[in-house]
Amino acid sequence: MLDFSRFEILTFDCYGTLINWEAGILSSLHRILSAHGKKIDDAVLLKFYGDFEQLSEQGEFHPYRKVLESVVRRFGAQLGFSPTAAEAVSLSDSLPTWEPWPDSVAALRQLGTRYRLAILSNVDDDLFATTRPKLGVDLAEVITAQQAQAYKPSLKIFELALSRINSPAHRILHVGQSLYHDVIPAQALGLATVWVNRPSARPGVGAVKAAEGKPDLEVSSLAELAAVAVQH
């Protein structure tokens, strides 16, 4: 068990961990696919999404809106249809409507009574600004891919966080839903990690590239983490 007394600040992935992005992604993509007469199992759709997003984030940095537009176009190429201009931007346009998991706000408020809270997210600043009020807590720092000009699992975004958060690495606990994006790179920089293994149509992976990692702690919800972390 982690010694929670050593941590000053908890850093969180946002979309997937705090926000139910899988519901948002599936709703938006099903709408597009249905318009073109395509039907795919949710687990397969999420695998495609994770692979396409990873491919779209490689190479020269592009804003997350452009990454999501590229993901939609890759679905078209994979499944044999051409998304309209409106469809191509509909996934990123839907992000502000994505809602927190039912336990996120209460758990964050509980954790905020003991720790400083920060966000490390693969997103544009303006998109996160639409989500921030939904989290219902004060944040000590928000570090985005736009600020780092790199997407997790690149170490650049974690290194930027370490330079901005006034705590040594051993006093920081990173919390994420993705082994690939969060647990593995955070551990590479000496951060302790919690894997929030949220329920998913693709259990244990979700809408990300599959990876093998060993977090310091695995929980099934943020409420479970709050119950353990605040009692110590």
Side-chain angles (χ1 to χ4, degrees), residues 13 32 40 64 91 101 103 107 141 146 161 185 202 206 221:
D13 164 67
I32 296 168
I40 305 184
Y64 194 56
L91 182 57
W101 289 96
D103 66 328
E141 286 288 350
Q146 180 181 355
R202 192 177 172 217
S221 68

Side-chain angles (χ1 to χ4, degrees), residues 1 4 17 103 175-177 193-199 215-229:
M1 177 60 70
F4 283 93
T17 305
D103 66 328
V175 182
Q177 178 261 338
T193 59
V194 174
W195 179 33
V196 186
N197 187 6
R198 292 284 194 183
D216 296 285
L217 176 67
E218 177 183 344
V219 295
S220 61
S221 68
L222 216 62
E224 186 181 339
L225 171 62
V228 175

Side-chain angles (χ1 to χ4, degrees), residues 48-90:
F48 280 151
Y49 179 91
D51 291 345
F52 294 162
E53 187 189 63
Q54 188 246 344
L55 289 169
S56 299
E57 288 174 350
Q58 289 180 344
E60 181 185 351
F61 181 83
H62 297 286
Y64 194 56
R65 284 183 184 276
K66 292 297 183 184
V67 168
L68 294 182
E69 183 177 334
S70 172
V71 167
V72 173
R73 295 193 185 283
R74 287 177 190 273
F75 269 100
Q78 177 73 34
L79 300 174
F81 69 89
S82 297
T84 66
E87 287 169 344
V89 299
S90 64

Side-chain angles (χ1 to χ4, degrees), residues 13-222:
D13 164 67
C14 184
Y15 301 97
T17 305
L18 306 179
I19 299 293
N20 185 356
W21 78 326
E22 191 169 305
I25 289 167
L26 290 172
S27 175
S28 185
L29 290 178
H30 278 310
R31 200 173 299 115
I32 296 168
L33 297 183
S34 177
H36 294 275
K38 308 295 181 181
K39 189 172 177 62
I40 305 184
D41 177 78
D42 282 353
V44 176
L45 194 154
L46 292 174
K47 182 188 184 305
F48 280 151
Y49 179 91
D51 291 345
F52 294 162
E53 187 189 63
Q54 188 246 344
L55 289 169
S56 299
E57 288 174 350
Q58 289 180 344
E60 181 185 351
F61 181 83
H62 297 286
Y64 194 56
R65 284 183 184 276
K66 292 297 183 184
V67 168
L68 294 182
E69 183 177 334
S70 172
V71 167
V72 173
R73 295 193 185 283
R74 287 177 190 273
F75 269 100
Q78 177 73 34
L79 300 174
F81 69 89
S82 297
T84 66
E87 287 169 344
V89 299
S90 64
L91 182 57
S92 60
D93 284 350
S94 76
L95 188 147
T97 70
W98 299 357
E99 295 298 327
W101 289 96
D103 66 328
S104 289
V105 173
L108 285 172
R109 286 175 175 164
Q110 191 176 356
L111 291 164
T113 64
R114 170 145 186 186
Y115 308 95
R116 290 187 294 141
L117 310 177
I119 296 289
L120 271 70
S121 181
N122 276 358
V123 76
D124 302 335
D125 288 342
D126 67 321
L127 286 174
F128 180 73
T130 66
T131 297
R132 185 170 186 160
K134 299 182 181 188
L135 301 180
V137 290
D138 291 330
L139 297 168
E141 286 288 350
V142 174
I143 295 94
T144 65
Q146 180 181 355
Q147 295 165 26
Q149 293 289 288
Y151 289 100
K152 296 181 293 182
S154 169
L155 298 186
K156 286 183 180 178
I157 191 166
F158 292 94
E159 289 166 344
L160 178 60
L162 286 169
S163 74
R164 295 242 303 263
I165 293 167
N166 192 23
S167 291
H170 72 276
R171 302 281 278 166
I172 302 169
L173 178 63
H174 185 62
V175 182
Q177 178 261 338
S178 171
L179 295 172
Y180 173 73
H181 289 108
D182 290 285
V183 170
I184 294 170
Q187 288 181 333
L189 291 177
L191 301 182
T193 59
V194 174
W195 179 33
V196 186
N197 187 6
R198 292 284 194 183
S200 171
R202 192 177 172 217
V205 184
V208 300
K209 183 178 173 64
E212 294 290 328
K214 291 190 175 180
D216 296 285
L217 176 67
E218 177 183 344
V219 295
S220 61
S221 68
L222 216 62

